[in-house]
Amino acid sequence: NLIVRMFDVYKAYGKTSALKGVSLEIAAGDIVFITGPSGAGKSTLLKLLYKAELASQGQILVDGLNLSRIGARQLPELRRRIGVIFQDFKLIAGRSVFDNVALVLEAAGEKPKMIEKKVMSVLRTAGIEEKARVFPPSLSGGEQQRVAVSRAVVGSPRLILADEPTASLDPQSAEQVMQLLETFHGKGATLVIATHNRRMISRLKGREIRLEGGAVGVPEDFSGEKAEEC
Ligand code: ADP
Ligand code: ADP
């Protein structure tokens, strides 16, 4: 039961090759960490999976959808199956916490009563229920990231993609975000997380896929390198 399959995927930005022949498979329900040095292609790999960028070559299947075959009309359907979390949160500053999270469900055409119920339920799980009516700029980074995780999961996506979700957080906030990701994994989501955070990798017990220069390499744990944190 595979949720992601990539076959010999290349991605070039002009003259820069960001990915050079990446093939991988991710089973539904897995936790997978994408690791590797800065510039290795981690963000690019995630962007290809939610079709924020197009592959230059190769095939990508996400939850049974062939990304090179789906058109603009099917893109919202793909995006509904995926929740995305960024290092810099990407919340809308001029909307309340509630509205930031509700947006996904509004776009999916859910009824206001159901939206209220689901949004408050994820905010409660994230421990930020009492912040529902405030605006993101008044929150700490850790709180903002918990809002972003809430937004990513509120539509019950099959796949959660996170790009360095703890990189701009203090250790305690990072811990809370890890716990939250673990909770939503427990509810059935597949997690694909690009990170340098060794603590998260050992804690969430995922499989590691290491990228180097745009290609899949040997995981750090097996290459004799000393593990580093964050
Ligand atoms: P990582 O997330 O591992 O740091 P990225 O996927 O961000 O790596 O980048 C991989 C390579 O592609 C880098 O050389 C980077 O400079 C380049 N790159 C990424 N995005 C763009 C872009 N929009 N335009 C040009 N080059 C890019
Ligand atoms: P576009 O189709 O023009 O990229 P979207 O509204 O779909 O516009 O996405 C806006 C931004 O949010 C994109 O740049 C993308 O990086 C990001 N994004 C796309 N899909 C999701 C998602 N499911 N969850 C969170 N962010 C997303």
Side-chain angles (χ1 to χ4, degrees):
N1 191 2
L2 297 174
I3 190 155
V4 172
R5 306 178 78 178
M6 297 182 88
F7 304 99
D8 205 22
V9 169
Y10 287 76
K11 173 64 185 176
Y13 299 101
K15 282 178 181 161
T16 308
S17 292
L19 294 178
K20 304 173 189 168
V22 170
S23 297
L24 56 85
E25 295 186 336
I26 297 173
D30 271 6
I31 299 179
V32 170
F33 294 103
I34 311 295
T35 65
S38 185
K42 304 181 294 297
S43 293
T44 298
L45 192 152
L46 295 183
K47 283 176 184 166
L48 292 179
L49 294 180
Y50 62 96
K51 226 180 162 183
E53 293 284 353
L54 301 177
S56 308
Q57 204 181 303
Q59 296 293 319
I60 304 173
L61 294 169
V62 175
D63 203 16
L65 297 171
N66 184 327
L67 300 197
S68 62
R69 297 229 184 100
I70 67 169
R73 238 182 308 135
Q74 279 173 291
L75 199 54
E77 191 190 329
L78 171 75
R79 299 271 169 89
R80 270 200 293 278
R81 300 185 195 191
I82 303 175
V84 188
I85 300 160
F86 306 92
Q87 176 177 347
D88 59 355
F89 326 130
K90 297 200 193 296
L91 299 174
I92 302 168
R95 277 179 169 251
S96 69
V97 164
F98 182 94
D99 287 343
N100 266 274
V101 178
L103 204 58
V104 179
L105 300 177
E106 283 163 9
E110 290 229 31
K111 294 204 172 72
K113 256 202 177 132
M114 188 54 77
I115 292 175
E116 169 85 19
K117 195 176 150 205
K118 286 186 178 172
V119 171
M120 292 316 291
S121 168
V122 289
L123 291 180
R124 200 172 308 129
T125 302
I128 41 172
E129 194 185 4
E130 75 283 4
K131 304 287 186 185
R133 297 294 158 196
V134 311
F135 289 73
S138 72
L139 299 176
S140 71
E143 290 169 332
Q144 290 190 51
Q145 193 62 305
R146 283 187 278 149
V147 176
V149 174
S150 301
R151 176 184 60 186
V153 302
V154 74
S156 305
R158 301 248 298 145
L159 179 62
I160 296 172
L161 306 175
D163 195 350
E164 302 280 5
T166 61
S168 55
L169 304 181
D170 61 84
Q172 196 192 333
S173 301
E175 197 67 33
Q176 289 172 330
V177 165
M178 281 179 227
Q179 245 174 48
L180 203 49
L181 289 170
E182 204 171 24
T183 298
F184 289 110
H185 174 254
K187 292 177 190 287
T190 307
L191 304 183
V192 180
I193 305 172
T195 189
H196 288 107
N197 188 340
R198 301 307 307 181
R199 187 186 178 81
M200 173 152 63
I201 295 169
S202 54
R203 197 195 137 143
L204 296 186
K205 297 180 179 64
R207 172 161 67 99
E208 183 172 349
I209 297 174
R210 184 174 168 84
L211 290 178
E212 268 184 75
V216 176
V218 183
E220 208 168 317
D221 284 352
F222 301 102
S223 66
E225 264 178 66
K226 183 123 174 51
E228 47 175 333
E229 236 181 67
C230 232

